[in-house]
């Protein structure tokens, strides 16, 4: 019985646990996750009629959650958020958190990255990224967490009603999010298979 519990304790919870050197590794991963998200945010395209662009930052934030686990992903996304609030233009479209005297309409989605990092990291540590089907479920829940923060903030900043906010803040992104989820469902389980060799 003791050998089974020690084997479970030694099993890596998330992909980044495979790397040696706990403290230096953790710091590098937290900074790297924030930087990856900032870099992915620069791949963005405006959506006609929507103040929220399509960008790679959502995919990066979800991958950071799955790869780093709950605590490191939360710290990584908090760092991403804080640096953007401090004025570094690494949100989508090269924005900081502030533009034209107020918060950018997409700021709530960035707050949602923190919640998604926690949720996806928690689920990944429990095997939520080990099979394609589990990964799909994990990523759907992560996207819902992002929308749960993004939509109310979008409404508050722009004054849109719920119907309009859903039409411009969720609906245009559903196909892209489905593609990102499919990509993650292929990448993450494949990474686990490679790591187990």
């Amino acid at each position: 019985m003791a050998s089974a519990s020690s084997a479970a304790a030694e099993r890596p919870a998330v992909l980044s646990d495979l790397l040696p050197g706990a403290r230096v590794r953790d710091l590098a991963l937290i900074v790297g996750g924030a930087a990856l998200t900032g870099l992915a945010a620069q791949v963005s395209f405006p959506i006609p009629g929507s103040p929220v662009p399509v960008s790679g930052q959502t995919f990066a934030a979800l991958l950071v959650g799955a790869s780093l686990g709950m605590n490191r992903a939360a710290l990584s996304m908090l760092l991403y958020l804080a640096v953007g609030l401090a004025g570094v233009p690494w949100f989508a479209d090269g924005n900081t958190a502030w533009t034209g005297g107020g918060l950018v309409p997409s700021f709530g989605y960035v707050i949602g990255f923190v919640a998604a990092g926690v949720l996806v990291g928690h689920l990944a540590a429990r095997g939520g990224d080990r099979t394609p089907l589990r990964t799909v479920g994990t990523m759907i829940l992560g996207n819902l967490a992002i929308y749960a923060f993004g939509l109310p903030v979008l409404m508050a900043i722009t004054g849109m009603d719920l119907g309009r906010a859903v039409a411009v803040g969720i609906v245009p992104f559903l196909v892209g999010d489905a593609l990102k989820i499919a990509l993650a469902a292929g990448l993450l389980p494949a990474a686990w298979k490679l790591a187990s060799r």
Side-chain angles (χ1 to χ4, degrees):
M1 195 65 143
S3 62
S5 63
S6 65
E10 292 175 14
R11 188 185 88 196
V14 293
L15 285 167
S16 60
D17 289 336
L18 298 170
L19 301 172
R23 293 196 187 221
V24 172
R25 173 196 68 197
D26 288 350
L27 181 60
L29 290 169
I30 290 164
V31 172
L36 173 69
T37 307
L39 184 64
Q42 304 318 303
V43 179
S44 67
F45 306 95
I47 301 246
S50 176
V52 181
V54 170
S55 77
Q57 65 186 340
T58 303
F59 184 62
L62 294 172
L63 283 181
V64 166
S67 300
L68 301 190
M70 183 174 73
N71 295 332
R72 288 177 293 218
L75 290 172
S76 186
M77 293 300 99
L78 283 169
L79 178 61
Y80 177 64
L81 176 66
V83 172
L85 282 169
V88 171
W90 68 348
F91 291 161
D93 289 338
N95 285 321
T96 66
W98 309 96
T99 185
L103 288 170
V104 293
S106 59
F107 185 70
Y109 297 90
V110 178
I111 296 170
F113 296 162
V114 179
V118 169
L119 178 60
V120 170
H122 175 77
L123 293 172
R126 282 150 185 75
D129 64 341
R130 305 284 174 114
T131 68
L133 187 58
R134 285 184 188 173
T135 303
V136 167
T138 297
M139 295 298 155
I140 287 173
L141 291 173
N143 270 285
L144 290 175
I146 293 168
Y147 289 145
F149 285 86
L151 199 63
V153 174
L154 176 64
M155 292 168 63
I157 291 172
T158 64
M160 292 179 188
D161 64 19
L162 179 60
R164 179 73 181 142
V166 168
V168 302
I170 293 180
V171 173
F173 305 97
L174 293 176
V175 171
D177 287 343
L179 292 172
K180 293 172 193 174
I181 289 168
L183 183 59
L187 287 176
L188 292 168
W192 275 111
K193 283 184 182 176
L194 284 172
S196 66
R197 288 182 183 169

